[in-house]
Coordinates of all heavy atoms in Angstrom, one line a residue:
T281 N -42.5 -55.7 19.9 CA -42.2 -54.9 20.9 C -41.8 -53.5 20.5 O -41.5 -53.3 19.3 CB -41.1 -55.3 21.8 OG1 -39.9 -55.4 21.1 CG2 -41.5 -56.8 22.4
R282 N -41.8 -52.4 21.4 CA -41.4 -51.1 20.8 C -39.9 -51.1 20.3 O -39.6 -50.7 19.4 CB -41.5 -50.2 22.0 CG -41.1 -48.7 21.7 CD -41.4 -47.8 22.9 NE -40.9 -46.4 22.6 CZ -40.9 -45.4 23.3 NH1 -41.4 -45.5 24.6 NH2 -40.5 -44.3 23.1
E283 N -39.2 -51.9 21.1 CA -37.6 -52.0 20.8 C -37.6 -52.6 19.4 O -36.8 -52.2 18.5 CB -36.9 -52.9 21.8 CG -35.5 -53.1 21.4 CD -34.8 -54.1 22.2 OE1 -35.5 -54.9 23.0 OE2 -33.6 -54.2 22.1
Q284 N -38.3 -53.7 19.1 CA -38.2 -54.3 17.8 C -38.7 -53.4 16.7 O -38.0 -53.4 15.6 CB -39.1 -55.7 17.9 CG -38.5 -56.7 18.8 CD -39.4 -57.9 19.0 OE1 -40.7 -57.7 18.8 NE2 -38.9 -59.1 19.2
R285 N -39.8 -52.8 16.9 CA -40.4 -51.9 15.9 C -39.3 -50.8 15.5 O -39.1 -50.5 14.4 CB -41.7 -51.3 16.3 CG -42.3 -50.4 15.2 CD -43.7 -50.0 15.7 NE -44.6 -51.0 15.6 CZ -45.3 -51.4 14.5 NH1 -45.1 -50.7 13.3 NH2 -46.2 -52.4 14.5
E286 N -38.7 -50.2 16.6 CA -37.8 -49.1 16.3 C -36.6 -49.7 15.5 O -36.0 -49.0 14.6 CB -37.4 -48.5 17.6 CG -38.4 -47.6 18.4 CD -38.0 -47.2 19.7 OE1 -36.9 -47.6 20.3 OE2 -38.8 -46.3 20.2
F287 N -36.2 -50.9 15.9 CA -35.1 -51.5 15.2 C -35.4 -51.7 13.7 O -34.6 -51.4 12.8 CB -34.5 -52.7 15.9 CG -33.5 -53.5 15.1 CD1 -32.3 -53.1 14.9 CD2 -33.9 -54.6 14.5 CE1 -31.4 -53.7 14.2 CE2 -33.1 -55.4 13.6 CZ -31.8 -54.9 13.5
L288 N -36.5 -52.4 13.5 CA -36.9 -52.7 12.1 C -37.1 -51.4 11.3 O -36.6 -51.4 10.1 CB -38.3 -53.4 12.1 CG -38.3 -54.8 12.7 CD1 -39.7 -55.3 12.7 CD2 -37.4 -55.7 11.9
E289 N -37.5 -50.4 11.8 CA -37.7 -49.1 11.1 C -36.4 -48.4 10.9 O -36.1 -47.9 9.8 CB -38.6 -48.1 11.8 CG -40.1 -48.7 11.8 CD -41.0 -47.8 12.5 OE1 -40.6 -46.8 13.1 OE2 -42.3 -48.0 12.3
R290 N -35.4 -48.5 11.8 CA -34.1 -48.0 11.4 C -33.5 -48.9 10.4 O -32.7 -48.4 9.4 CB -33.2 -48.1 12.8 CG -31.8 -47.8 12.4 CD -30.9 -48.1 13.7 NE -29.5 -47.9 13.2 CZ -28.4 -48.3 14.1 NH1 -28.6 -48.7 15.2 NH2 -27.1 -48.1 13.5
L291 N -33.6 -50.2 10.5 CA -33.0 -51.1 9.5 C -33.6 -50.8 8.1 O -32.9 -50.7 7.1 CB -33.2 -52.6 9.8 CG -33.0 -53.7 8.9 CD1 -31.4 -53.6 8.5 CD2 -33.3 -55.0 9.4
Q292 N -34.9 -50.6 8.1 CA -35.4 -50.2 6.8 C -34.9 -49.0 6.2 O -34.6 -48.8 5.0 CB -37.1 -50.0 7.0 CG -37.8 -51.3 7.1 CD -39.3 -51.1 7.0 OE1 -39.9 -50.6 8.0 NE2 -39.9 -51.4 5.9
R293 N -34.8 -47.8 7.0 CA -34.3 -46.6 6.5 C -32.9 -46.8 6.0 O -32.6 -46.1 5.0 CB -34.3 -45.5 7.7 CG -33.9 -44.2 7.2 CD -34.4 -43.1 8.1 NE -33.9 -41.8 7.4 CZ -34.4 -40.7 8.0 NH1 -35.2 -40.7 9.0 NH2 -34.0 -39.5 7.3
D294 N -32.0 -47.4 6.8 CA -30.7 -47.7 6.3 C -30.6 -48.4 5.0 O -29.8 -48.2 4.1 CB -29.9 -48.4 7.4 CG -29.6 -47.4 8.6 OD1 -29.8 -46.2 8.5 OD2 -29.3 -47.9 9.7
T295 N -31.5 -49.4 4.8 CA -31.4 -50.2 3.7 C -32.0 -49.6 2.5 O -31.4 -49.7 1.4 CB -32.2 -51.6 3.9 OG1 -31.8 -52.2 5.2 CG2 -32.2 -52.5 2.7
F296 N -33.0 -48.7 2.8 CA -33.6 -47.9 1.7 C -32.5 -47.0 1.1 O -32.5 -46.7 0.0 CB -34.8 -47.0 2.3 CG -35.2 -46.0 1.3 CD1 -36.1 -46.4 0.3 CD2 -34.9 -44.7 1.4 CE1 -36.6 -45.3 -0.7 CE2 -35.3 -43.7 0.5 CZ -36.2 -44.0 -0.5
A297 N -31.6 -46.5 2.0 CA -30.6 -45.6 1.6 C -29.7 -46.1 0.5 O -29.1 -45.5 -0.4 CB -29.8 -45.0 2.8
F298 N -29.5 -47.5 0.6 CA -28.7 -48.1 -0.5 C -29.3 -47.9 -1.8 O -28.7 -47.6 -2.8 CB -28.6 -49.7 -0.1 CG -28.0 -50.4 -1.3 CD1 -26.6 -50.5 -1.4 CD2 -28.8 -51.0 -2.2 CE1 -26.2 -51.3 -2.5 CE2 -28.3 -51.7 -3.3 CZ -26.9 -51.8 -3.3
F299 N -30.6 -48.1 -1.9 CA -31.3 -48.0 -3.3 C -31.4 -46.5 -3.6 O -31.2 -46.2 -4.8 CB -32.7 -48.6 -3.1 CG -32.6 -50.1 -3.1 CD1 -32.9 -50.8 -1.8 CD2 -32.3 -50.9 -4.1 CE1 -32.9 -52.2 -1.7 CE2 -32.2 -52.3 -4.0 CZ -32.6 -53.0 -2.8
W300 N -31.6 -45.7 -2.7 CA -31.6 -44.2 -3.1 C -30.4 -43.6 -3.5 O -30.2 -42.9 -4.4 CB -32.3 -43.5 -1.9 CG -32.7 -42.1 -2.4 CD1 -32.2 -40.9 -2.1 CD2 -33.8 -41.7 -3.2 NE1 -32.8 -39.9 -2.7 CE2 -33.8 -40.4 -3.4 CE3 -34.8 -42.4 -3.8 CZ2 -34.8 -39.6 -4.2 CZ3 -35.8 -41.9 -4.6 CH2 -35.8 -40.5 -4.7
D301 N -29.3 -44.0 -2.8 CA -28.0 -43.5 -3.1 C -27.3 -44.1 -4.3 O -26.3 -43.6 -4.8 CB -27.0 -43.6 -1.9 CG -27.5 -42.8 -0.7 OD1 -28.5 -41.9 -0.8 OD2 -26.9 -42.9 0.4
A302 N -27.7 -45.3 -4.6 CA -26.9 -46.2 -5.5 C -26.8 -45.8 -6.9 O -25.6 -45.9 -7.5 CB -27.5 -47.7 -5.5
P303 N -27.8 -45.5 -7.7 CA -27.6 -45.2 -9.2 C -26.6 -44.2 -9.5 O -26.6 -43.0 -9.0 CB -28.9 -44.8 -9.6 CG -30.0 -45.3 -8.6 CD -29.2 -45.2 -7.3
P304 N -25.5 -44.5 -10.2 CA -24.5 -43.6 -10.4 C -24.5 -42.8 -11.8 O -23.8 -41.9 -11.9 CB -23.1 -44.5 -10.5 CG -23.7 -45.8 -11.1 CD -25.1 -45.8 -10.7
G305 N -25.4 -43.2 -12.7 CA -25.3 -42.7 -14.0 C -26.3 -41.8 -14.4 O -26.5 -41.3 -15.6
G306 N -27.2 -41.3 -13.4 CA -28.3 -40.4 -13.7 C -29.4 -41.0 -14.5 O -30.2 -40.4 -15.1
N307 N -29.4 -42.3 -14.7 CA -30.4 -43.1 -15.5 C -31.3 -44.0 -14.6 O -32.1 -44.7 -15.2 CB -29.8 -43.9 -16.5 CG -28.6 -44.7 -16.1 OD1 -28.6 -45.1 -14.8 ND2 -27.7 -45.2 -17.0
G308 N -31.1 -44.1 -13.3 CA -31.9 -44.8 -12.4 C -31.5 -46.2 -12.4 O -32.2 -47.0 -11.7
L309 N -30.5 -46.7 -13.0 CA -30.1 -48.0 -13.0 C -29.4 -48.4 -11.8 O -28.2 -47.8 -11.5 CB -29.3 -48.4 -14.2 CG -30.0 -48.2 -15.6 CD1 -29.1 -48.6 -16.8 CD2 -31.3 -49.1 -15.7
T310 N -29.8 -49.4 -11.0 CA -29.3 -49.6 -9.7 C -28.1 -50.7 -9.8 O -28.3 -51.7 -10.3 CB -30.3 -50.2 -8.8 OG1 -31.5 -49.4 -8.8 CG2 -29.9 -50.5 -7.3
P311 N -26.9 -50.4 -9.1 CA -25.8 -51.3 -9.1 C -26.2 -52.7 -8.4 O -27.0 -52.7 -7.5 CB -24.8 -50.6 -8.3 CG -25.2 -49.2 -8.4 CD -26.7 -49.1 -8.4
D312 N -25.6 -53.7 -9.0 CA -25.8 -55.0 -8.5 C -25.3 -55.1 -7.0 O -25.9 -55.8 -6.1 CB -25.0 -56.0 -9.3 CG -25.2 -57.5 -8.7 OD1 -26.3 -57.9 -8.6 OD2 -24.1 -58.2 -8.6
R313 N -24.2 -54.4 -6.7 CA -23.6 -54.5 -5.4 C -22.7 -53.4 -5.2 O -22.4 -52.6 -6.1 CB -22.7 -55.7 -5.3 CG -21.6 -56.0 -6.3 CD -20.7 -57.1 -5.8 NE -21.3 -58.4 -5.9 CZ -21.1 -59.3 -4.8 NH1 -20.3 -59.0 -3.8 NH2 -21.7 -60.5 -4.9
S314 N -22.4 -53.1 -3.8 CA -21.8 -51.9 -3.5 C -20.4 -51.7 -4.0 O -19.8 -50.6 -4.1 CB -21.8 -51.7 -2.0 OG -21.1 -52.8 -1.4
S315 N -19.7 -52.9 -4.2 CA -18.3 -52.8 -4.6 C -18.1 -52.4 -6.1 O -16.9 -51.9 -6.5 CB -17.6 -54.1 -4.4 OG -18.2 -55.1 -5.2
N316 N -19.1 -52.4 -7.0 CA -18.9 -52.2 -8.3 C -20.1 -51.3 -8.8 O -21.1 -51.8 -9.4 CB -18.9 -53.3 -9.1 CG -18.5 -53.1 -10.6 OD1 -18.4 -52.0 -11.1 ND2 -18.4 -54.3 -11.4
P317 N -20.1 -50.0 -8.5 CA -21.4 -49.2 -8.9 C -21.5 -49.0 -10.5 O -22.6 -48.6 -10.8 CB -20.8 -47.8 -8.3 CG -19.4 -47.8 -8.1 CD -19.0 -49.2 -7.8
D318 N -20.6 -49.5 -11.2 CA -20.7 -49.3 -12.6 C -21.4 -50.6 -13.2 O -21.7 -50.6 -14.5 CB -19.4 -49.1 -13.3 CG -18.9 -47.8 -13.0 OD1 -19.6 -46.8 -12.8 OD2 -17.6 -47.6 -13.0
L319 N -21.7 -51.5 -12.4 CA -22.4 -52.8 -13.0 C -23.8 -52.8 -12.4 O -23.9 -53.1 -11.2 CB -21.7 -54.0 -12.7 CG -22.2 -55.3 -13.2 CD1 -22.1 -55.3 -14.8 CD2 -21.6 -56.5 -12.6
A320 N -24.8 -52.6 -13.2 CA -26.3 -52.7 -12.7 C -26.8 -54.1 -13.0 O -26.4 -54.9 -13.9 CB -27.0 -51.7 -13.5

């Protein structure tokens, strides 16, 4: 449905932001979890 598609795309965008915002060291290494950005 339209509602489902809009929700899925919002969920995708928000989830993508985790990966795009995550690397802290300028080297592209992604943290394992949000609570410890220094552990990839």
Side-chain angles (χ1 to χ4, degrees):
T281 68
R282 179 178 178 180
E283 176 193 14
Q284 289 172 335
R285 181 175 290 275
E286 289 175 351
F287 169 72
L288 291 175
E289 291 181 348
R290 175 194 170 185
L291 172 58
Q292 281 189 290
R293 180 164 189 166
D294 292 341
T295 308
F296 172 80
F298 170 85
F299 290 106
W300 192 253
D301 293 350
N307 53 17
L309 299 182
T310 306
D312 176 60
R313 59 170 62 225
S314 56
S315 62
N316 189 358
D318 289 332
L319 184 69

